[in-house]
Amino acid sequence: MENLVTVYIPTKNRLQLLQRAVNSVLSQTHRNIELIIVSDGSTDGTCDYVNGLEGPQLVKLIHNDTSIGACAARNQAIEIATGNFITGLDDDDIFLPHRLETFLSEWLRLEQKGEHFSCLFDRRIVNVGEQVWLWDKEALVTPEQIVKTNAVGNQVFTTPQRMKDAGSFDADLPAWQDWDMWVRLIKTAGPARSIQANTYVMDISHEFERITQRSSEKILRAARMFYQKHCSHDDLAGILYSLVGYQQVRLTLGDIGVMLRSRYSKFALQKMRKGEFTMSLGSSIL
């Protein structure tokens, strides 16, 4: 079917949140959708809910009796996707109704102009509970930019084949799997472009775990693995800046020194004033 869009949602035992996410997909103004839900070891009625969904959209269920992790679950969906295009949704987030239509319109417009790009992404609306704020992003993200900071976010709009050609998600990374994927996608197929429309709501107000709540050891291990896979010493300050947002991670005095000599110096100064660092002169990453 023309312009069939695959949307994949990995989930595990978060039925109430999943229902909200699914409703946001099935109510899209673009109706030609293939929705793939991967139940990664769910035992809370997720499969019964998905099997009971009715409507014009194509809904597919993959159920893993034993959890294999969100990234491996995403890869399962990518492997069976039949859409012309593909994008993801976390089960605790939602699409605004015009998201897919806006992506499609911009993709076709850029193609008609002869633009070279690997994927599209968007700015996010972030719900933190007591307030809602906008997470702005760069309009164009090049291979040089993406290794310094995740200027794309947690979802892109592209084709299933481009995701496969980039190697899909690395399930061995304990965190930063989306960032790692975008690096490879941009390097293999071209820069990422933003539609700058704020069509994705990220919900971090609930009690379930997100990556920002994972242990400092997992975050630092992911940062080291990411650095070894993609980065040079010139990218170190950007990697350290990406760690600043994790309250459970304490940078070293050596890390602060690296950031002070970069465009992230004001963030290093904030950490120094608050005393949020260890006295080690070594690096958290190297």
Side-chain angles (χ1 to χ4, degrees):
M1 292 185 290
E2 184 179 3
N3 291 335
L4 176 66
V5 179
T6 298
V7 179
Y8 58 83
I9 306 177
T11 188
K12 180 182 178 182
N13 289 337
R14 304 209 287 190
L15 179 56
Q16 186 173 1
L17 291 174
L18 175 66
Q19 290 171 329
R20 184 183 63 175
V22 168
N23 288 337
S24 78
V25 174
L26 299 184
S27 61
Q28 288 291 297
T29 55
H30 177 79
R31 307 299 293 169
N32 197 9
I33 296 170
E34 173 187 58
L35 175 59
I36 303 176
I37 299 169
V38 184
S39 167
D40 192 34
S42 296
T43 57
D44 63 347
T46 289
C47 293
D48 291 338
Y49 161 69
V50 175
N51 286 328
L53 289 171
E54 297 179 354
Q57 293 91 346
L58 179 62
V59 178
K60 298 178 180 178
L61 171 67
I62 298 173
H63 175 68
N64 300 319
D65 290 330
T66 301
S67 176
I68 61 174
C71 280
R74 293 185 187 106
N75 290 338
Q76 287 180 308
I78 293 168
E79 282 300 316
I80 69 167
T82 61
N84 305 96
F85 301 97
I86 190 168
T87 191
L89 174 62
D90 291 343
D91 63 2
D92 49 355
D93 297 336
I94 62 173
F95 288 170
L96 293 188
H98 59 292
R99 179 172 173 84
L100 297 184
E101 181 181 1
T102 306
F103 270 133
L104 273 170
S105 176
E106 183 64 7
W107 186 287
L108 297 175
R109 186 187 73 83
L110 290 171
E111 276 196 337
Q112 289 174 353
K113 289 180 61 180
E115 298 284 352
H116 175 61
F117 60 97
S118 62
C119 61
L120 301 178
F121 64 100
D122 195 11
R123 299 178 299 203
R124 284 174 285 175
I125 303 166
V126 183
N127 174 19
V128 297
E130 297 179 354
Q131 59 182 327
V132 174
W133 46 277
L134 300 181
W135 191 333
D136 202 0
K137 292 291 182 183
E138 302 287 342
L140 178 71
V141 180
T142 65
E144 294 75 24
Q145 291 171 301
I146 191 62
V147 295
K148 298 180 185 299
T149 182
N150 186 1
V152 169
N154 64 330
Q155 307 293 349
V156 301
F157 183 91
T158 187
T159 69
Q161 190 59 52
R162 289 186 184 183
M163 280 195 160
K164 292 176 185 178
D165 290 345
S168 298
F169 291 92
D170 185 349
D172 291 331
L173 280 170
W176 292 12
Q177 299 98 334
D178 49 0
W179 186 3
D180 168 73
M181 175 63 171
W182 312 152
V183 171
R184 289 180 279 112
L185 181 62
I186 290 171
K187 285 184 175 181
T188 57
R193 294 184 178 273
S194 173
I195 61 173
Q196 298 184 301
N198 293 112
T199 62
Y200 191 98
V201 180
M202 172 182 282
D203 184 3
I204 58 175
S205 66
H206 56 78
E207 71 276 14
F208 293 97
E209 182 191 36
R210 289 196 77 113
I211 186 173
T212 50
Q213 299 170 318
R214 293 181 185 173
S215 71
S216 60
E217 187 275 330
K218 283 187 177 181
I219 300 299
L220 287 171
R221 182 156 53 92
R224 294 182 190 114
M225 292 174 67
F226 182 93
Y227 183 85
Q228 291 170 1
K229 288 178 70 173
H230 302 297
C231 300
S232 68
H233 193 272
D234 291 341
D235 306 316
L236 181 57
I239 302 299
L240 293 171
Y241 167 70
S242 296
L243 292 172
V244 167
Y246 298 94
Q247 294 183 352
Q248 67 272 44
V249 174
R250 294 180 70 85
L251 299 179
T252 68
L253 186 58
D255 295 333
I256 298 295
V258 171
M259 292 182 67
L260 285 172
R261 298 188 295 273
S262 74
R263 64 191 180 101
Y264 306 109
S265 58
K266 70 175 182 179
F267 300 99
L269 288 171
Q270 290 173 3
K271 287 291 185 182
M272 289 189 71
R273 293 191 187 104
K274 295 178 181 179
E276 296 177 348
F277 59 91
T278 68
M279 292 303 295
S280 171
L281 294 177
S283 171
S284 298
I285 304 301
L286 301 180

